[in-house]
Amino acid sequence: MANMDLQVEISGLKLKNPVIAASGTFGFGREYAEYIDLNKIGGISVKGLTLEPRKGNPPPRIAETPSGILNSVGLQNPGVDAFIKDEMPFLRQYDTAIIANVAGNTISDYCRIAEKLNDADVDAIEVNVSCPNVKEGCLAFGSSAKGVAEVTSSVRKVCKKPLIVKLTPNVSNISEIAKAAEEQGADAVSLINTILGLAIDIHTKRPVLKNNFGGLSGPAVKPVALRMVYEVSHSVNIPVIGMGGITTGEDAIEFFLAGARAVMVGTANFANPKACIEVLDGIALYMKNCNLTRLDDIVGKLELN
Amino acid sequence: MANMDLQVEISGLKLKNPVIAASGTFGFGREYAEYIDLNKIGGISVKGLTLEPRKGNPPPRIAETPSGILNSVGLQNPGVDAFIKDEMPFLRQYDTAIIANVAGNTISDYCRIAEKLNDADVDAIEVNVSCPNVKEGCLAFGSSAKGVAEVTSSVRKVCKKPLIVKLTPNVSNISEIAKAAEEQGADAVSLINTILGLAIDIHTKRPVLKNNFGGLSGPAVKPVALRMVYEVSHSVNIPVIGMGGITTGEDAIEFFLAGARAVMVGTANFANPKACIEVLDGIALYMKNCNLTRLDDIVGKLELN
Amino acid sequence: MSGVFKDKIVDMKMLREDIFRMTILSEYISSNAMPGQFVHVKCGDDSEMLLRRPISIAFADRERKTFDIIFQVKGKGTGHLAGKKAGDSIDIMGPLGKPFDISESNKNIAVVGGGIGIFPLLFLLNEMSKSQRTVSYLGFRSKDLIVLADDFSRLCSRLEIATEDGSEGYKGFVTSILENHLPSENFDMIYTCGPAPMLKKVSKIAENFGVLCQVSLEQRMGCGIGTCLVCSCKTKVKDKDDWKYSRVCKDGPVFWSSDIIFD
Amino acid sequence: MSGVFKDKIVDMKMLREDIFRMTILSEYISSNAMPGQFVHVKCGDDSEMLLRRPISIAFADRERKTFDIIFQVKGKGTGHLAGKKAGDSIDIMGPLGKPFDISESNKNIAVVGGGIGIFPLLFLLNEMSKSQRTVSYLGFRSKDLIVLADDFSRLCSRLEIATEDGSEGYKGFVTSILENHLPSENFDMIYTCGPAPMLKKVSKIAENFGVLCQVSLEQRMGCGIGTCLVCSCKTKVKDKDDWKYSRVCKDGPVFWSSDIIFD
Ligand SMILES: Cc1cc2nc3c(=O)[nH]c(=O)nc-3n(C[C@H](O)[C@H](O)[C@H](O)COP(=O)(O)OP(=O)(O)OC[C@H]3O[C@@H](n4cnc5c(N)ncnc54)[C@H](O)[C@@H]3O)c2cc1C
Ligand SMILES: Cc1cc2nc3c(=O)[nH]c(=O)nc-3n(C[C@H](O)[C@H](O)[C@H](O)COP(=O)(O)OP(=O)(O)OC[C@H]3O[C@@H](n4cnc5c(N)ncnc54)[C@H](O)[C@@H]3O)c2cc1C
Ligand SMILES: Cc1cc2nc3c(=O)[nH]c(=O)nc-3n(C[C@H](O)[C@H](O)[C@H](O)COP(=O)(O)O)c2cc1C
Ligand SMILES: Cc1cc2nc3c(=O)[nH]c(=O)nc-3n(C[C@H](O)[C@H](O)[C@H](O)COP(=O)(O)O)c2cc1C
Ligand code: FES
Ligand code: FES
């Protein structure tokens, strides 16, 4: 449709469309640039960045489960400085939003990374308080409203970019945690990160992953992610970015209806490097078939029975 | 193998083998008796019983999701009295353990049901503090250590049968909750109940389930269930009964390795009415191939990397 | 009694672009099936879809030991099923559910169907005795969507077709023809299956005219045998001003219209 | 550069009860493939298995525009793959990864393979020039598990086989023959692929004898193109007393043995 408008603004973060590549599944964009036109997607959330370079966890780091995968990468990354120096120039060649996903062991880590990114040409930062694959920090903060409030308020004080807080599903009450982020000045929340899981090799009697436990993602988690996106978007007034198992445009529409303003596509990229584009095309097709022209016509439009 | 011994005792509850039909997926055994020999399975956890009969939630009550299903039955059942009168005589024809799964809106409900069951010929009671499909009680108790402690200690005071507490996965820290059950006198814990989820029909823009939200079960949840069984069995000293997505003997072996003494088979019964028997046969085959004769040779034998 | 079988598909025909008739070799099901009953069909691997799909038995050939199902492609499960061919094997449970109550004493019978609801009615007509007069009322959206008209013609005394756009037969809903005919016809029994609004209307008409009516319902299913309680429908509780949820798979799919509470 | 293709299978042969050779029509992959590279294969629907499976390219026929993969059935993915037949289409990404470094200046070459590791070596030998002398060392568990011996014989100057039970050739591990031969052979380069303990041993031997050695590694993969960082292997950091995790899919699968840290 000529007049279809998929633009969306997430508290100051302008996206040409609502499909963002999810952190950790898209690297720094280089490799997927061979398969798709990065200019076409709404944004890229880059691999989680830490203050210092991190080696990550020993392999194997991936296991396949029914309609899902477990990963235990453990935030392997070159560090925020190397990212700014070596990766940003490449990424900035493309007309797409760049979201810096960041993780820390301590609150001061988060703040120092945010400060460094203030001067970099990133469009937003996504504070990951939900990585299940590292021993210190991160998920420890994300598991309680108090921890999330602390990280958010501290980062908010120094961060000049739109601030997205990425939530973990491994909690009793995700709305409470989203509210804590909102109260402390988050501009948006994104969810869900992976669900902590375990896969066992019954022949070796050991976990498949060398790091033992890993994070579950992929279609298996979609019903849980949708429920949480619904809960959170009905508890906070800041925009919600939804993810968890999105593989098709229809999946994305479910997330919009549940209340997400934008979506992230993660695990689906692995089997299908064109997943982000196909999700985007699927969204446009659905809207065309329903004679809709703006995302606002569907965002949050789920009617409960 | 002639000398293979699959008997197991769960704090006074004697099972001829560790395969139990999971509550809510096996009714009161009548229908499956047409498909399998109920004498062959270790036990049956009957459909959740309440003090008064319950009508349950409006249909549709089921939705299919990737490698899983969502259900929102809402504890439809004839009430504990009718169960004792109408269903127990049928069930007692079979040489298999009968576990009464019970749920209440209030702590006094739980206690009164337990009292009634003291005089019935059930082998154990399984206190369900984890049903996500009813508005009052149940999951509200199960979501906090305090709630579980309250229910457990109250029921313990009146209950003369082995007491199993069934835990919900919708929590930040399931070990804490298991410990609360243990401290208040639970003889065992069983886990996991279903994970709260949502599925949306993008054409009607409404949830697929009439009750909107439902509980996720089936293979999709297996990695999460395994992780929780591992966590719980390493936090408490009482036996753990594991479930969540078990479809084959291999799946069951994963749960034993993670620390479960017995397993329950739920969703798998729907597609395959012989699932319990096939899981049992699969366990025996694995043990035979590994030259093992007793369950103790595998229970909790997972070695972390 | 019913069972789980790995049976063989012996024939597969396309009746319409989206409707298929599958013939399955099964001594047990063909010899035990009664009209109104269904089979619960595994349409793919566990990993592709966990749940079986309920499909009515549309015909049983006791001599050849085969039975037929007729299905419309709606989604993933029926889509997969449409890809099967003669020679393939199929995992099937059945026969399941409560059949239509058939009695030779009913001499004058109406059969009212719409959509996928017409398939079980084919089996019903097939099992009626020659001494029974049967009038079929079938509703379609338009002429080019009509299926099985010849089969119905052959099996019943009279066939009435309604199309919503009037491209064939009566223009409008099939319930309108029924309503028009009822004063003059002296039906002993109405059998109906189809979309919920149609069933509700037929039940109402039957009630108004004091004709007995049996309704075959649809609901999303899990186990298909009565244990999981997901396939509920509202029914009256005998002699009380109360209602309960019955199981479409076990207490139905066929109910007396007077027992059902339509919402 | 690589791509995602829906290609056509043109031939399928069983080499052993559990080993299959599949020929796939793909102009792009056949003309760009280099020995040591792999393809990332979708073996079933998303619902059956989310991840692709990495399989080495075992041969490329640039004229016929086909390439071959040879695979052993290990689990679900390769099991599905074994069920495919000529005429079926297949979803494949490739060619992927860093190939073997081949130089005509290396005149005397050893190729050491075990298990599924022998398949990429076939392609390597095929692309060597006539002027290069190649000795292949292949290890199997026992005589009846030997595959592709004729193909290797044809492509190399000499073929040495070791079986663990001694039922054919040398009794023991293939690394022992290599070790015995090295003092007398004057190899410029060793190429190796196979089980991790074998690779470690070969690397050690190469180091001891001061021969250059390239190793092709295996690791569980996600994306296959370098973004997800799950397929890591430990490698040395140049000029520093440190190590890092490299990506088997992108920085490898072929590494210089001197760069790898075996645990
Ligand atoms: C007793 C009974 C008899 C039936 N007989 C026939 C028949 O003879 N021919 C025919 O074409 N169809 C029949 N149906 C409907 C048929 O079961 C559905 O069309 C089919 O399940 C759709 O599955 P799907 O995977 O193609 O669609 P999807 O929409 O992808 O299915 C998703 C889920 O919803 C369930 N579902 C969707 N529609 C229905 C429905 N109408 N009724 C019950 N469950 C549904 C599916 O079983 C599945 O679990 C019958 C249904 C019932 C309850
Ligand atoms: C670069 C590379 C090249 C390879 N080339 C060949 C080849 O030419 N021929 C051949 O037969 N095999 C080859 N393999 C091994 C092949 O990828 C595995 O045997 C296959 O993935 C097993 O999948 P499955 O589903 O049958 O087994 P499962 O054990 O069911 O697989 C479960 C998961 O583990 C992964 N996995 C299991 N074993 C391996 C392994 N050895 N390496 C990587 N991932 C594994 C699978 O991809 C899958 O994600 C290669 C592996 C790599 C990394
Ligand atoms: C291999 C892998 C690595 C990931 N790394 C990160 C990360 O660095 N930071 C982060 O916030 N989320 C990370 N995630 C989580 C995803 O961004 C996403 O939240 C999750 O996978 C759910 O979405 P999906 O089901 O579409 O994959 C990672 C996920 C995977 C599979
Ligand atoms: C339809 C349905 C009904 C259920 N009803 C109950 C119930 O009444 N009481 C209970 O404790 N658990 C109930 N459960 C949860 C199961 O007992 C089990 O904990 C869960 O389904 C996970 O196991 P599974 O993946 O093997 O099904 C129900 C599950 C399903 C699918
Ligand atoms: S489908 Fe399980 S009770 Fe009807
Ligand atoms: S498989 Fe993703 S980086 Fe190698």
Side-chain angles (χ1 to χ4, degrees):
Chain A
M1 245 188 289
N3 59 349
M4 192 181 299
D5 179 9
L6 292 179
Q7 285 181 73
V8 57
E9 200 192 304
I10 310 277
S11 314
L13 168 66
K14 288 202 180 70
L15 304 175
K16 62 167 65 155
N17 66 61
V19 179
I20 305 168
S23 175
T25 65
F26 216 75
F28 301 110
R30 283 184 195 277
E31 294 82 8
Y32 282 106
E34 285 190 25
Y35 293 87
I36 62 174
D37 180 357
L38 298 182
N39 295 300
K40 285 198 177 153
I41 60 177
I44 297 172
S45 177
V46 303
K47 175 65 198 168
L49 303 167
T50 51
L51 198 52
E52 302 294 332
R54 277 184 68 102
K55 290 185 158 68
N57 293 325
R61 293 175 173 181
I62 191 166
E64 203 178 38
T65 67
S67 298
I69 61 168
L70 287 172
N71 91 80
S72 60
V73 171
L75 291 178
Q76 174 174 347
N77 81 96
V80 63
D81 291 330
F83 163 73
I84 294 173
K85 189 166 124 311
D86 303 334
E87 305 296 341
M88 275 307 293
F90 171 83
L91 282 165
R92 271 287 79 118
Q93 295 176 279
Y94 298 94
D95 175 23
T96 188
I98 305 302
I99 301 173
N101 181 279
V102 305
N105 293 340
T106 63
I107 293 195
S108 112
D109 281 2
Y110 281 102
C111 293
R112 288 182 56 200
I113 302 171
E115 279 165 352
K116 284 174 189 274
L117 288 166
N118 278 338
D119 304 324
D121 195 10
V122 301
D123 299 293
I125 91 167
E126 182 178 43
V127 171
N128 173 0
V129 283
S130 43
C131 178
N133 295 320
V134 292
K135 290 209 175 63
E136 299 165 84
C138 215
L139 185 56
F141 293 116
S143 303
S144 72
K146 185 163 157 283
V148 169
E150 270 173 38
V151 175
T152 310
S153 76
S154 306
V155 174
R156 179 72 291 174
K157 282 187 197 114
V158 297
C159 172
K160 297 182 186 143
K161 309 270 180 182
L163 174 59
I164 305 162
V165 176
K166 183 160 178 182
L167 307 177
T168 173
N170 300 293
V171 295
S172 311
N173 188 336
I174 197 165
S175 297
E176 223 171 58
I177 293 185
K179 277 189 218 154
E182 179 179 41
E183 277 162 21
Q184 299 305 324
D187 294 308
V189 287
S190 58
L191 64 152
I192 60 173
N193 208 317
T194 55
I195 309 183
L196 198 56
L198 171 64
I200 296 174
D201 182 326
I202 62 170
H203 301 295
T204 62
K205 297 186 180 155
R206 289 175 176 277
V208 176
L209 299 175
K210 189 76 175 182
N211 199 45
N212 301 314
F213 300 94
L216 183 66
S217 63
V221 309
K222 197 182 72 167
V224 179
L226 274 171
R227 184 259 299 179
M228 291 186 163
V229 164
Y230 178 87
E231 286 177 356
V232 167
S233 69
H234 286 74
S235 313
V236 298
N237 294 310
I238 51 177
V240 173
I241 302 173
M243 81 197 88
I246 297 175
T247 310
T248 64
E250 279 98 345
D251 294 334
I253 300 292
E254 285 193 70
F255 279 84
F256 292 131
L257 290 169
R261 297 217 141 252
V263 293
M264 288 180 169
V265 176
T267 303
N269 293 303
F270 300 166
N272 177 12
K274 296 175 181 161
C276 287
I277 301 291
E278 290 179 11
V279 167
L280 180 58
D281 291 346
I283 293 168
L285 182 67
Y286 171 90
M287 291 185 56
K288 186 170 159 246
N289 289 342
C290 296
N291 275 314
L292 304 174
T293 53
R294 297 164 333 123
L295 277 172
D296 279 343
D297 297 333
I298 45 173
V299 172
K301 289 291 189 281
L302 179 74
E303 283 190 55
L304 292 191
N305 288 307
Chain B
M1 248 191 288
N3 60 347
M4 194 181 295
D5 179 10
L6 292 180
Q7 285 181 74
V8 57
E9 199 191 303
I10 310 277
S11 314
L13 169 64
K14 289 204 179 68
L15 303 175
K16 63 167 63 157
N17 68 58
V19 179
I20 305 168
S23 175
T25 65
F26 215 75
F28 301 109
R30 284 183 195 277
E31 294 81 9
Y32 282 105
E34 284 190 28
Y35 293 87
I36 62 173
D37 179 358
L38 298 183
N39 295 299
K40 286 199 176 152
I41 60 177
I44 297 172
S45 177
V46 303
K47 175 65 197 168
L49 303 167
T50 50
L51 198 54
E52 302 294 332
R54 276 184 68 102
K55 290 185 158 68
N57 293 324
R61 291 175 174 182
I62 192 167
E64 204 177 37
T65 68
S67 297
I69 60 168
L70 287 173
N71 90 80
S72 59
V73 171
L75 291 179
Q76 174 175 346
N77 81 95
V80 64
D81 292 329
F83 163 73
I84 295 172
K85 188 166 126 308
D86 303 334
E87 305 295 341
M88 275 308 293
F90 171 82
L91 283 164
R92 271 287 80 120
Q93 295 176 276
Y94 297 95
D95 175 24
T96 189
I98 305 303
I99 301 173
N101 181 280
V102 306
N105 293 339
T106 63
I107 293 196
S108 111
D109 280 3
Y110 281 103
C111 293
R112 288 182 57 200
I113 302 171
E115 279 165 352
K116 284 172 188 276
L117 289 166
N118 278 338
D119 304 324
D121 194 10
V122 301
D123 298 292
I125 92 167
E126 181 178 45
V127 171
N128 173 0
V129 283
S130 43
C131 178
N133 295 320
V134 292
K135 290 210 175 63
E136 298 165 85
C138 214
L139 186 55
F141 293 115
S143 303
S144 72
K146 187 164 158 284
V148 169
E150 271 173 37
V151 175
T152 310
S153 74
S154 307
V155 174
R156 179 73 290 174
K157 285 188 195 111
V158 297
C159 172
K160 297 182 186 145
K161 308 270 180 182
L163 174 59
I164 305 162
V165 176
K166 183 160 179 182
L167 308 177
T168 172
N170 300 293
V171 295
S172 311
N173 188 336
I174 196 164
S175 297
E176 222 171 60
I177 293 185
K179 277 188 218 157
E182 179 180 40
E183 276 161 22
Q184 300 305 323
D187 295 308
V189 288
S190 58
L191 64 151
I192 59 173
N193 208 317
T194 55
I195 309 183
L196 197 57
L198 171 65
I200 296 174
D201 182 327
I202 61 171
H203 301 295
T204 62
K205 297 185 180 156
R206 289 175 176 276
V208 176
L209 299 175
K210 190 76 175 182
N211 199 44
N212 300 315
F213 300 94
L216 183 66
S217 62
V221 309
K222 197 182 71 165
V224 179
L226 274 171
R227 185 259 299 179
M228 291 186 163
V229 164
Y230 179 87
E231 286 177 356
V232 167
S233 68
H234 286 74
S235 313
V236 298
N237 294 309
I238 50 177
V240 172
I241 302 173
M243 81 196 89
I246 296 176
T247 310
T248 65
E250 280 98 344
D251 294 334
I253 301 291
E254 286 194 69
F255 279 84
F256 292 131
L257 290 169
R261 300 218 138 249
V263 294
M264 289 181 168
V265 176
T267 304
N269 293 304
F270 300 165
N272 177 12
K274 297 175 180 162
C276 288
I277 301 290
E278 290 180 11
V279 167
L280 181 58
D281 291 346
I283 293 168
L285 182 67
Y286 170 89
M287 291 187 55
K288 185 170 158 246
N289 289 341
C290 296
N291 275 313
L292 304 174
T293 53
R294 296 164 334 124
L295 276 172
D296 279 343
D297 298 334
I298 45 173
V299 172
K301 290 291 189 278
L302 179 74
E303 283 191 55
L304 292 192
N305 288 308
Chain C
M1 284 293 295
S2 65
V4 205
F5 306 98
K6 287 253 184 309
D7 283 329
K8 207 172 132 186
I9 300 169
V10 292
D11 195 20
M12 184 80 177
K13 274 195 202 74
M14 195 196 269
L15 304 187
R16 204 170 83 186
E17 205 189 15
D18 57 341
I19 297 185
F20 297 82
R21 181 171 187 150
M22 183 186 279
T23 306
I24 298 162
L25 187 68
S26 172
E27 175 152 10
Y28 188 84
I29 298 179
S30 64
S31 58
N32 288 284
M34 287 180 287
Q37 288 190 303
F38 67 96
V39 287
H40 213 27
V41 186
K42 201 149 168 43
C43 301
D45 278 353
D46 265 2
S47 52
E48 290 164 309
M49 59 199 95
L50 278 185
L51 298 176
R52 291 171 180 266
R53 302 316 195 233
I55 307 281
S56 304
I57 297 167
F59 180 66
D61 187 329
R62 271 134 205 160
E63 276 168 37
R64 294 220 174 97
K65 305 187 196 324
T66 63
F67 73 95
D68 288 15
I69 55 175
I70 305 178
F71 59 91
Q72 181 173 12
V73 174
K74 283 281 175 78
K76 197 154 107 172
T78 47
H80 256 70
L81 217 52
K84 302 247 181 198
K85 50 192 189 314
D88 288 350
S89 85
I90 187 162
D91 181 337
I92 222 158
M93 284 170 74
L96 299 171
K98 207 165 111 297
F100 287 112
D101 184 305
I102 311 181
S103 156
E104 286 224 27
S105 60
N106 297 318
K107 292 298 169 207
N108 207 358
I109 286 162
V111 145
V112 188
I116 55 176
I118 72 172
F119 309 139
L121 299 176
L122 199 65
F123 190 19
L124 177 74
L125 288 174
N126 210 70
E127 302 280 302
M128 294 267 158
S129 86
K130 297 247 157 55
S131 69
Q132 295 172 293
R133 176 173 172 273
T134 50
V135 184
S136 296
Y137 299 90
L138 303 182
F140 298 93
R141 215 129 24 87
S142 75
K143 182 176 176 174
D144 39 303
L145 295 178
I146 295 176
V147 278
L148 294 169
D150 291 348
D151 298 68
F152 272 91
S153 289
R154 198 162 27 78
L155 290 168
C156 64
S157 317
R158 202 169 85 232
L159 171 61
E160 299 279 353
I161 284 182
T163 54
E164 288 175 36
D165 64 0
S167 50
E168 175 93 30
Y170 179 90
K171 178 179 163 126
F173 290 116
V174 73
T175 44
S176 308
I177 332 183
L178 180 72
E179 205 164 12
N180 294 341
H181 285 195
L182 266 192
S184 51
E185 293 279 4
N186 217 347
F187 291 129
D188 306 309
M189 182 70 73
I190 301 175
Y191 295 99
T192 184
C193 185
M198 186 193 97
L199 300 183
K200 187 172 175 178
K201 190 82 213 268
V202 173
S203 301
K204 187 83 203 143
I205 296 170
E207 192 188 335
N208 290 346
F209 287 88
V211 187
L212 284 173
C213 176
Q214 295 177 42
V215 175
S216 178
L217 295 180
E218 274 173 39
Q219 189 46 266
R220 289 184 177 236
M221 290 187 180
C223 67
I225 61 173
T227 68
C228 71
L229 309 184
V230 304
C231 62
S232 42
C233 67
K234 261 190 186 171
T235 57
K236 292 175 191 157
V237 176
K238 249 200 200 96
D239 308 322
K240 278 201 213 161
D241 189 19
D242 195 8
W243 60 271
K244 62 168 195 275
Y245 281 124
S246 292
R247 299 163 299 180
V248 170
C249 71
K250 185 83 179 180
D251 307 313
V254 177
F255 294 88
W256 291 100
S257 67
S258 52
D259 287 340
I260 303 175
I261 301 173
F262 290 99
D263 279 317
Chain D
M1 283 294 293
S2 64
V4 204
F5 306 98
K6 287 252 185 310
D7 283 329
K8 206 170 132 190
I9 300 169
V10 291
D11 195 22
M12 184 79 176
K13 274 196 202 74
M14 193 195 270
L15 304 187
R16 203 171 84 186
E17 205 188 14
D18 58 340
I19 298 185
F20 296 81
R21 181 171 187 149
M22 184 186 278
T23 306
I24 299 162
L25 187 68
S26 171
E27 175 154 9
Y28 187 84
I29 297 179
S30 64
S31 58
N32 288 284
M34 286 180 287
Q37 289 189 304
F38 67 97
V39 287
H40 213 26
V41 186
K42 204 151 166 41
C43 301
D45 279 353
D46 264 2
S47 52
E48 291 165 306
M49 58 199 98
L50 278 185
L51 297 176
R52 291 172 180 264
R53 303 311 195 237
I55 307 281
S56 305
I57 298 167
F59 180 66
D61 187 329
R62 271 133 205 162
E63 274 167 37
R64 293 219 175 96
K65 304 189 197 326
T66 64
F67 73 96
D68 288 14
I69 55 175
I70 305 179
F71 59 91
Q72 181 173 12
V73 173
K74 284 279 176 78
K76 196 154 108 173
T78 48
H80 255 70
L81 217 51
K84 302 248 180 195
K85 49 191 191 315
D88 288 351
S89 85
I90 186 162
D91 181 337
I92 222 157
M93 283 170 74
L96 299 172
K98 207 165 109 306
F100 287 113
D101 184 304
I102 311 181
S103 157
E104 287 223 26
S105 60
N106 297 318
K107 291 300 168 204
N108 207 359
I109 286 161
V111 145
V112 187
I116 56 177
I118 72 171
F119 309 138
L121 299 175
L122 198 67
F123 190 20
L124 178 73
L125 288 173
N126 211 70
E127 302 280 302
M128 294 269 160
S129 87
K130 297 245 159 58
S131 69
Q132 294 171 294
R133 175 173 172 272
T134 49
V135 184
S136 296
Y137 298 89
L138 304 183
F140 298 93
R141 213 125 29 83
S142 74
K143 184 176 175 174
D144 39 302
L145 295 179
I146 295 176
V147 280
L148 294 169
D150 291 347
D151 298 68
F152 272 92
S153 289
R154 199 162 27 78
L155 290 170
C156 64
S157 317
R158 202 170 85 230
L159 170 61
E160 299 279 352
I161 285 183
T163 54
E164 288 175 36
D165 63 359
S167 49
E168 173 93 29
Y170 178 90
K171 176 178 164 132
F173 289 117
V174 74
T175 44
S176 310
I177 334 183
L178 180 71
E179 206 164 12
N180 294 341
H181 285 195
L182 266 192
S184 52
E185 293 279 4
N186 217 347
F187 291 129
D188 306 310
M189 183 70 72
I190 301 175
Y191 296 98
T192 185
C193 185
M198 186 193 98
L199 300 183
K200 188 172 173 177
K201 191 79 212 270
V202 173
S203 301
K204 187 82 199 143
I205 296 171
E207 193 188 332
N208 290 345
F209 287 87
V211 186
L212 284 173
C213 175
Q214 295 178 42
V215 175
S216 178
L217 296 180
E218 275 173 37
Q219 190 47 267
R220 288 182 180 239
M221 291 187 179
C223 67
I225 59 173
T227 66
C228 71
L229 308 183
V230 304
C231 61
S232 42
C233 66
K234 262 191 186 170
T235 57
K236 293 174 191 156
V237 176
K238 252 204 198 90
D239 307 323
K240 276 198 214 164
D241 189 21
D242 196 8
W243 59 271
K244 64 169 194 278
Y245 281 125
S246 291
R247 301 163 298 180
V248 169
C249 70
K250 184 82 177 182
D251 306 313
V254 177
F255 293 88
W256 291 98
S257 68
S258 53
D259 287 340
I260 303 175
I261 301 173
F262 290 99
D263 278 317

